[in-house]
Amino acid sequence: MSRLSPRVGGALIAAFGAALVVIHLNGVLVLHETATLVVLSAVPLAVSVVVVAAGVAVARGHLVPAGFADRALAWAGTGVVAIAALDAWVFAGVTVRGFDLPATVPVFGVPLPGVLAPFSGVAPFGVLVGLLVGVYDARRLAQQRAIAQLSRINETLRITTQEMIEEDDRDALEQAVCERLAESDPYDAIWLGRYDPEDSVVRPVAWAGLPDEYVAEITVTVDETATGGGAGGRAIRTGEIQTVPDVYADSTMEPWHEQFARYGVESLAVVPIVHEDTVYGFFSVYASRQNVFDERESEVLAEVGESLGHAIASIEMVDLLAARERELARQNERLEEFAAVVSHDLRNPLNVADGYLDMARESGDDEHFDRVRDALDRMNALIDDLLTLARQGATVDEFETASLESVVVDAWEVAGSESATLALGDDLGTVACDRSRLRQLLENLFRNARQHGGADVTVTVGRLEDGFYVADDGPGVPEEERADVFDVGYTTHESGTGFGLNIVRGIASAHGWKVTLTESADGGARFEFRGVARDAPRDADPSLPVSG
């Protein structure tokens, strides 16, 4: 049952006091001729005026704490009943002793029962005394509840803060906060949503006290539509807590009235999760009664939102640092590989060139100069691959939608040969990629096919359900060696650098693709790339064209 509002409770007290003022004003102005009788009527009149003033004060919320107007009214009524009982007892005694009261008493020309005369004289005192007791009782009870509320709020804040300190995973943290808040006495349910500024939508990711089907129905946007004008949309736009004392009295909450009615929601608070200038989302707190979220409650919930925003920012920073550490580890690993190559692989052809150069000076034989040229070409190939390895490690950040066939043709023009054959499958379609790096991947595969399959090798590029493949009709790779072919330095060809397939794997990984080596239909090598998207993501640069 909803509590009596201060306005209604105060109005009832003031109305009763006004009625008593009318009765006693009549006594002062009409009934009494002597000064003594006028004074005797004036005292109840003054008390009645005080009752009216007290009722007005209650109605304005100045005398009784919010939510306790019904308690003050009840005490005032108790005072009237008590004084009426006492008056009835006295009246009965006087009547038994033969004292007669007039049958009627005129009040501004209106005849009222004479029995009301003694009651009207003491009723103002009963109301006033009862009201004073009610004010004292209401304030005492309000203080007790405030202390209990403060204790509960502090405990909620302590437990929630502890969860934020202990959790290092965002998903787990958000779910834990929902569960801890839902355990707090006045709250019935919580759901937390993440804000996607690209779509201007808040999507639920954690909840407690709510069935899954309810959460699935939630639609909150941050735009000019009806679902963007509610407390959730306002919380995201302003970065400030939004409280709704009565969800059915707030027209901006109308899109969700049916859902609220099904699950008994009467009031709510939407708390933005913020850190500095970033709004990560909000959590919405539901209560099954009205006027739950007062100023103290709102301040603490807002503090929880800020603390949660800080915790999420810390988790993101830790994740970013961890990713940076992993990248540094990969870079260090590549540096070690480069050092090994520089110290060994580059030194070998350099020594060969130096030896044959001395022999060429002594003999003048062109064959020796040819050997020097071969060694220098080998060094040049190694250096090219080293530079490629150094540049290809980063993740692809910008994708474009490119025609796979056109990229294959461009790569074949560089890495193919007149005697080799390129076969294209039907409808290769498009891929979301960094076009230049995909072309580099294909060039390395084509060179690898020529090195191992011979000058007249046939290379086939075809489409897979979730990617594409590149196959050849060369000798293939033994099954027990297929796991090693992508390692730095692995090669079975005397002129190979051992970096080509490692570059292929690196470029595929940078795109988020998975590459595997199997056997082709002709017994050669077949490289399959899966997890390949056909279209660039929506947040990619829209100015990038579809290559074809």
Side-chain angles (χ1 to χ4, degrees):
M1 183 178 68
S2 60
R3 288 184 172 275
L4 191 68
S5 68
R7 179 174 299 180
V8 174
L12 292 174
I13 294 172
F16 188 72
L20 293 174
V21 166
V22 172
I23 293 173
H24 291 292
L25 186 62
N26 175 77
V28 171
L29 298 178
V30 178
L31 297 180
H32 301 303
E33 299 177 354
T34 66
T36 302
L37 293 176
V38 170
V39 171
L40 290 176
S41 294
V43 174
L45 175 61
V47 175
S48 299
V49 172
V50 173
V51 170
V52 173
V56 173
V58 171
R60 293 182 175 180
H62 298 321
L63 193 60
V64 177
F68 292 92
D70 53 351
R71 198 171 186 86
L73 183 62
W75 275 108
T78 301
V80 172
V81 172
I83 203 70
L86 178 61
D87 184 56
W89 178 263
V90 174
F91 174 71
V94 171
T95 302
V96 169
R97 289 174 175 79
F99 181 78
D100 294 327
L101 290 174
T104 61
V105 177
V107 177
F108 290 108
V110 179
L112 296 177
V115 71
L116 293 178
F119 171 74
S120 64
V122 296
F125 298 95
V127 175
L128 186 59
V129 171
L131 185 59
L132 291 176
V133 173
V135 169
Y136 170 78
D137 179 61
R139 289 185 173 181
R140 177 187 59 81
L141 186 58
Q143 186 178 30
Q144 291 177 348
R145 292 188 179 180
I147 293 173
Q149 181 193 36
L150 186 60
S151 176
R152 175 189 56 75
I153 287 175
N154 288 336
E155 181 65 11
T156 299
L157 184 59
R158 182 189 67 80
I159 294 175
T160 306
T161 303
Q162 187 66 30
E163 291 288 352
M164 296 179 192
I165 294 174
E166 294 177 353
E167 291 290 353
D168 58 2
D169 177 77
R170 181 175 178 180
D171 292 336
L173 170 62
E174 291 169 335
Q175 184 60 42
V177 168
C178 286
E179 291 174 356
R180 295 299 169 267
L181 288 175
E183 292 171 357
S184 186
D185 181 50
Y187 311 146
D188 294 287
I190 319 285
W191 71 271
L192 185 149
R194 293 182 186 177
Y195 173 50
D196 183 355
E198 294 294 331
D199 295 336
S200 295
V201 172
V202 179
R203 294 184 172 86
V205 294
W207 55 91
L210 290 169
D212 294 348
E213 55 267 25
Y214 175 89
V215 178
E217 296 175 356
I218 294 175
T219 302
V220 176
T221 58
V222 187
D223 51 26
E224 300 303 320
T225 63
T227 55
R234 295 196 300 271
I236 295 295
R237 284 191 292 269
T238 65
E240 298 178 352
I241 185 172
Q242 304 292 316
T243 60
V244 183
D246 181 356
V247 296
Y248 303 105
D250 188 334
S251 59
T252 66
M253 305 304 294
E254 187 174 352
W256 304 276
H257 280 178
E258 182 180 347
Q259 291 171 270
F260 292 155
R262 271 188 282 140
Y263 294 99
V265 180
E266 293 286 339
S267 62
L268 60 81
V270 179
V271 185
I273 303 171
V274 297
H275 177 68
E276 296 181 348
D277 296 330
T278 302
V279 181
Y280 292 104
F282 63 67
F283 60 88
S284 187
V285 186
Y286 290 170
S288 59
R289 55 187 175 85
Q290 298 176 5
N291 302 305
V292 168
F293 305 98
D294 58 15
E295 183 177 354
R296 182 183 286 112
E297 203 89 24
S298 299
E299 289 175 355
V300 172
L301 288 174
E303 185 176 344
V304 172
E306 292 177 1
S307 300
L308 182 54
H310 180 75
I312 291 173
S314 299
I315 290 174
E316 288 187 341
M317 181 59 67
V318 170
D319 291 343
L320 183 62
L321 291 174
R324 180 58 178 161
E325 288 179 359
R326 290 191 295 270
E327 178 61 26
L328 288 174
R330 286 193 295 268
Q331 290 179 2
N332 289 336
E333 184 179 348
R334 286 198 296 273
L335 286 174
E336 292 177 1
E337 294 172 352
F338 296 160
V341 171
V342 170
S343 64
H344 182 268
D345 292 20
L346 282 178
R347 184 170 294 166
N348 284 341
L350 183 62
N351 291 336
V352 170
D354 185 57
Y356 277 107
L357 184 60
D358 290 339
M359 294 174 64
R361 285 173 178 171
E362 295 176 0
S363 64
D365 191 343
D366 289 342
E367 182 182 353
H368 294 153
F369 286 108
D370 292 339
R371 294 293 182 90
V372 172
R373 169 55 58 192
D374 291 342
L376 294 176
D377 288 344
R378 167 75 171 169
M379 289 179 62
N380 188 59
L382 285 169
I383 290 171
D384 286 344
D385 281 352
L386 281 171
L387 290 174
T388 300
L389 276 175
R391 294 166 179 163
Q392 62 83 31
T395 301
V396 174
D397 294 322
E398 293 187 2
F399 289 79
E400 61 176 297
T401 302
S403 164
L404 179 57
E405 180 176 343
S406 69
V407 182
V408 169
V409 171
D410 290 345
W412 185 258
E413 289 178 355
V414 174
S417 67
E418 292 183 0
S419 58
T421 302
L422 174 65
L424 299 177
D426 296 333
D427 187 22
L428 294 182
T430 60
V431 292
C433 65
D434 180 322
R435 183 184 175 91
S436 64
R437 295 177 74 175
L438 174 57
R439 174 175 168 173
Q440 192 174 57
L441 177 150
L442 292 168
E443 289 176 2
N444 277 276
L445 288 178
F446 296 159
R447 290 193 187 99
N448 182 75
R450 282 173 36 222
Q451 286 179 349
H452 296 87
D456 59 349
V457 68
T458 297
V459 178
T460 303
V461 180
R463 178 170 182 164
L464 298 173
E465 182 178 352
D466 59 344
F468 63 92
Y469 68 87
V470 178
D472 62 56
D473 59 356
V477 180
E479 185 174 356
E480 63 273 12
E481 297 181 21
R482 291 173 188 169
D484 302 325
V485 298
F486 297 104
D487 294 339
V488 171
Y490 179 90
T491 182
T492 59
H493 194 275
E494 59 182 9
S495 64
T497 65
F499 293 122
L501 294 182
N502 183 264
I503 292 172
V504 168
R505 182 176 63 180
I507 295 175
S509 177
H511 281 82
W513 305 339
K514 181 180 179 181
V515 55
T516 56
L517 172 59
T518 62
E519 185 176 343
S520 71
D522 298 315
R526 174 182 165 113
F527 295 88
E528 296 183 350
F529 299 87
R530 298 186 180 275
V532 181
R534 292 293 170 185
D535 297 301
R538 293 173 59 184
D539 57 354
D541 188 347
S543 65
L544 293 173
V546 176
S547 303

